[in-house]
Amino acid sequence: MDFKTVKPEELCDHILIGYVTKLLKNEATFPEIFASAYENRNANNLVFSIPSELSITGRQIDLIADRAHLLKEPQYRSHEWNAWPDVIPPRLDTEPAINGETRECDYWLVKLKNGSYRTGKITKDKYWVRFENQIAAYREFSPRPAEAVLENQTELDPGGWNAYPKFKPDSEEVYEVMLKGGLQRSAGWKKGNWTFYSEEITAFKKIND
């Protein structure tokens, strides 16, 4: 977000802005306080961190506010890359239940700021278990192929799902993979072996941006 062209008043509840500015020695410093809170927001909260040299008490003040105070929130787009932390992930609940119980976490394909891909795990309360500050975007894993399609596959599909070990990746990179039992994750192919789940992978698919 370019805060040289966008004002905090366009993005945040005016009453909250009023309360935060009252905690500052100089209200003119609010834009930098808001910018930090906005850029470091998670799916639930904004944290306004006011350093001691800027606060009215002369001591550090941290004010936690519900993210619902933001006025403009982009909508989630299914099966497309969604920027993080701009877009809040919905509850997927696509993981197979354990003993009839819904799993506590969802798994997403995430793209990190360095351009690499990983499996992202997020709790039902919307906290990423790993990589939160490294994630640039996330999306759902590709729709699962029918078992019959994989069983009857006769040649490698460069852009689609491929049965494994019937077929093997033709380049060393990270792929979407399907595991025994229907789970979906990401795994790297390196020197003829998978970096994770080597005994569980039943299919793989190249990641397309």
Side-chain angles (χ1 to χ4, degrees):
M1 183 69 66
D2 185 358
F3 288 100
K4 293 180 180 179
T5 58
V6 179
K7 297 180 179 179
E9 292 80 5
E10 299 176 43
L11 300 173
C12 188
D13 180 88
H14 292 192
I15 296 175
L16 176 61
I17 290 175
Y19 275 105
V20 177
T21 54
K22 289 178 181 178
L23 300 174
L24 300 170
K25 289 180 181 177
N26 183 351
E27 293 186 4
T29 61
F30 176 74
E32 65 180 88
I33 298 298
F34 177 79
S36 177
Y38 188 84
E39 294 298 336
N40 293 290
R41 68 199 184 283
N42 59 34
N44 300 287
N45 304 313
L46 296 164
V47 179
F48 295 90
S49 294
I50 305 172
S52 57
E53 62 270 20
L54 299 180
S55 80
I56 57 172
T57 64
R59 292 180 173 81
Q60 172 83 21
I61 297 175
D62 292 318
L63 187 151
I64 301 175
D66 193 301
R67 180 167 169 154
H69 286 93
L70 293 178
L71 304 177
K72 297 181 180 180
E73 292 278 48
Q75 296 297 307
Y76 171 76
R77 297 171 299 164
S78 182
H79 291 295
E80 295 184 32
W81 287 108
N82 291 269
W84 172 261
D86 297 358
V87 184
I88 300 174
R91 181 78 163 104
L92 286 180
D93 198 17
T94 54
E95 293 287 298
I98 300 177
N99 298 324
E101 296 291 330
T102 300
R103 297 204 185 194
E104 293 293 309
C105 297
D106 287 322
Y107 292 80
W108 297 83
L109 180 63
V110 300
K111 182 191 299 184
L112 303 186
K113 294 175 182 177
N114 65 7
S116 63
Y117 300 99
R118 295 289 189 276
T119 301
K121 180 179 179 181
I122 193 169
T123 69
K124 64 180 181 180
D125 296 320
K126 309 297 184 185
Y127 292 103
W128 293 101
V129 175
R130 294 182 63 193
F131 309 121
E132 179 153 358
N133 295 325
Q134 303 174 52
I135 296 173
Y138 65 92
R139 70 165 170 81
E140 297 166 70
F141 287 95
S142 299
R144 296 180 179 89
E147 289 185 13
V149 172
L150 296 177
E151 289 176 0
N152 297 322
Q153 187 176 6
T154 58
E155 57 184 29
L156 184 75
D157 182 352
W161 284 103
N162 293 279
Y164 181 82
K166 182 191 295 186
F167 300 97
K168 294 183 179 181
D170 56 9
S171 59
E172 294 190 348
E173 56 187 283
V174 176
Y175 292 82
E176 293 186 55
V177 296
M178 192 162 64
L179 311 182
K180 296 175 182 177
L183 299 179
Q184 289 180 270
R185 301 290 188 264
S186 66
W189 179 256
K190 189 174 183 179
K191 296 181 179 180
N193 293 291
W194 293 106
T195 54
F196 298 102
Y197 316 114
S198 58
E199 301 299 320
E200 302 176 62
I201 293 174
T202 61
F204 65 92
K205 182 180 183 296
K206 188 180 289 288
I207 297 173
N208 300 312
D209 282 337

